[in-house]
Amino acid sequence: MGTLKLEGLMKRYGASTAVEHVDLDVAEGEFVSLLGPSGCGKTTTLRMVAGFIEPSAGRVVIAGRDVTRAPPYARDTGMVFQSYALFPHMSVAQNVGFGLEMRKVGRAERDERVREALRLVRLDHLAERFPRELSGGQQQRVALARALVVKPAVFLLDEPLSNLDAKLRAEVRLEIRALQQRLGLTTLFVTHDQDEALAMSDRLVVLAHGRVQQVGTAEDLYERPANAFVAGFVGRCNVLAGTEEAPGRFRLETGTVIPCGHDGAANPATQRLLALRPERVAISRPEREDGLVGTVTSVTYLGAQTEYHVDLGGTDILAIRPTPPEGDGLRRLASGDRAALHWEPAAARLLASEE
Ligand code: ATP
């Protein structure tokens, strides 16, 4: 297995730029996801790594070798596509063995490796079936086996779960992660599904408009988002504009002052953004009208948790709390009621000033 290094990778189509600048180091055996909204450049980046798209600038280095200009088959990558892309006229075993045949691996070794790859994805009993005789999840496992069988240095997955229903997705994602860890596969995974990326990855790369916004663990992105885009894209977040008028005191544009974590010299002249996760916002019935008291504008019961929108002097604050037990006064909180909000100052994080 090998490492993967992307250096200043860029792709232009005429006047438009699909990928602006991507630098990334993936360690041996690491699972890294590219996460971002539609059109942010995930697939283009992955295809440049695989060799299906030629970069306009930058380098792709796999296991220490510059492969930027190498054709796909000479890159030592295995790729799994969203559409599976199985050959319909070949059996499962033939599909999986195809890459080995292309590489002129002898018959006996080929049969053995195909059997081993199918065992890994638990499909050895279906080796003689054709793709049309398999379920979606089984077809995707054949596609996985086909990529694994060539023992690639880098494993590339392009939204491999998006054609599966929710339950199967959750199952197959656990299988892929377990297999990846067991085999120590260096993996680059593309998805727009943040739950999937958070659940599977060692580290994530958040992309927007062809640029890397932040690289980090799930916890880094969630607890310490680099900017408002990451704060809003990874999980739900109140992103509030204003100024830090004194250490730990944040004046919202509407004039209300709220507590915040302090990150250096407060400068009342500089516009800042503050990120406050909704599950960090406690809500209660106010005893007095001082402190952070606002008017509830909506209450949405979601079973385990309840979402409250509260208008705090003209600023909407979302609070998400475990649903209070029946009989608790808070359970009957409704639109139009007054509610007091509370959070630990450190939970309201000032974001780095935007360029
Ligand atoms: P999705 O999740 O929707 O697949 P993505 O993040 O994978 O999105 P890309 O497919 O990488 O996005 O596309 C990035 C940008 O480049 C988009 O704005 C897209 O329209 C543009 N693009 C992609 N391929 C081409 C092409 N062949 N010619 C011109 N523009 C392209």
Side-chain angles (χ1 to χ4, degrees):
M1 295 312 296
T3 54
L4 169 66
K5 197 177 181 65
L6 309 183
E7 293 174 0
L9 210 55
M10 189 228 266
K11 181 66 191 177
R12 285 222 172 90
Y13 291 105
S16 74
T17 305
V19 174
E20 176 101 27
H21 185 99
V22 173
D23 286 323
L24 180 65
D25 270 308
V26 183
E28 187 155 334
E30 193 180 22
F31 190 118
V32 172
S33 291
L34 297 179
L35 175 67
S38 182
C40 72
K42 306 180 293 289
T43 300
T44 305
T45 302
L46 195 77
R47 287 176 172 261
M48 287 194 280
V49 176
F52 300 125
I53 294 179
E54 195 180 331
S56 309
R59 297 204 316 150
V60 178
V61 180
I62 291 177
R65 194 165 65 93
D66 185 337
V67 296
T68 315
R69 305 287 159 216
Y73 60 82
R75 291 195 172 204
D76 208 1
T77 55
M79 179 134 173
V80 179
F81 300 89
Q82 183 175 349
S83 58
Y84 320 143
L86 300 179
F87 304 116
H89 57 286
M90 290 186 188
S91 70
V92 165
Q94 286 167 334
N95 262 283
V96 174
F98 183 76
L100 297 176
E101 210 175 321
M102 290 292 103
R103 285 169 172 77
K104 307 265 186 283
V105 175
R107 181 77 197 239
E109 183 185 345
R110 201 164 77 214
D111 288 351
E112 178 50 36
R113 282 171 67 177
V114 168
R115 261 198 303 277
E116 185 195 335
L118 286 175
R119 248 196 322 269
L120 280 173
V121 298
R122 296 183 294 113
L123 281 183
D124 30 341
H125 59 299
L126 299 180
E128 298 316 317
R129 290 240 186 127
F130 286 87
R132 64 173 181 278
E133 299 168 329
L134 300 177
S135 71
Q138 289 167 339
Q139 289 185 45
Q140 192 50 290
R141 301 220 297 268
V142 176
L144 283 172
R146 191 175 58 177
L148 287 173
V149 78
V150 300
K151 302 200 166 106
V154 173
F155 198 41
L156 305 172
L157 302 161
D158 187 6
E159 305 236 9
L161 307 177
S162 52
N163 288 335
L164 306 178
D165 67 44
K167 186 161 174 286
L168 202 54
R169 273 179 95 108
E171 262 173 50
V172 180
R173 91 179 179 201
L174 286 178
E175 278 177 23
I176 292 180
R177 178 61 164 156
L179 202 59
Q180 179 270 333
Q181 286 181 316
R182 187 145 51 91
L183 303 180
L185 297 168
T186 306
T187 303
L188 193 60
F189 179 86
V190 160
T191 183
H192 62 267
D193 180 328
Q194 49 156 302
D195 285 347
E196 202 165 281
L198 292 172
M200 294 175 81
S201 318
D202 294 310
R203 285 188 305 149
L204 303 94
V205 179
V206 180
L207 283 177
H209 314 299
R211 279 193 166 272
V212 174
Q213 304 295 309
Q214 189 171 2
V215 181
T217 62
E219 203 177 315
D220 290 334
L221 301 184
Y222 195 79
E223 303 284 348
R224 294 171 289 280
N227 57 33
F229 179 83
V230 177
F233 190 74
V234 180
R236 315 239 334 245
C237 202
N238 294 288
V239 177
L240 308 170
T243 54
E244 192 187 11
E245 62 169 26
R249 283 172 57 86
F250 192 80
R251 181 175 290 276
L252 297 170
E253 284 171 337
T254 48
T256 308
V257 175
I258 61 173
C260 68
H262 179 53
D263 72 342
N267 181 353
T270 310
Q271 279 289 320
R272 301 289 298 267
L273 292 174
L274 181 142
L276 175 62
R277 294 287 177 196
E279 71 277 11
R280 298 285 166 81
V281 180
I283 186 165
S284 57
R285 287 188 179 273
E287 285 167 10
R288 295 185 303 276
E289 270 295 316
D290 57 357
L292 298 177
V293 178
T295 304
V296 177
T297 55
S298 79
V299 177
T300 309
Y301 171 81
L302 294 172
Q305 58 194 35
T306 298
E307 295 184 4
Y308 307 88
H309 280 275
V310 177
D311 178 84
L312 191 67
T315 301
D316 174 60
I317 307 273
L318 170 65
I320 302 181
R321 306 299 297 173
T323 297
E326 271 182 286
D328 189 310
L330 206 53
R331 183 70 180 263
R332 291 187 305 279
L333 198 72
S335 283
D337 288 352
R338 301 290 283 167
L341 303 178
H342 173 80
W343 57 85
E344 291 302 321
R349 286 182 65 84
L350 288 166
L351 296 170
S353 304
E354 302 285 295
E355 311 142 30

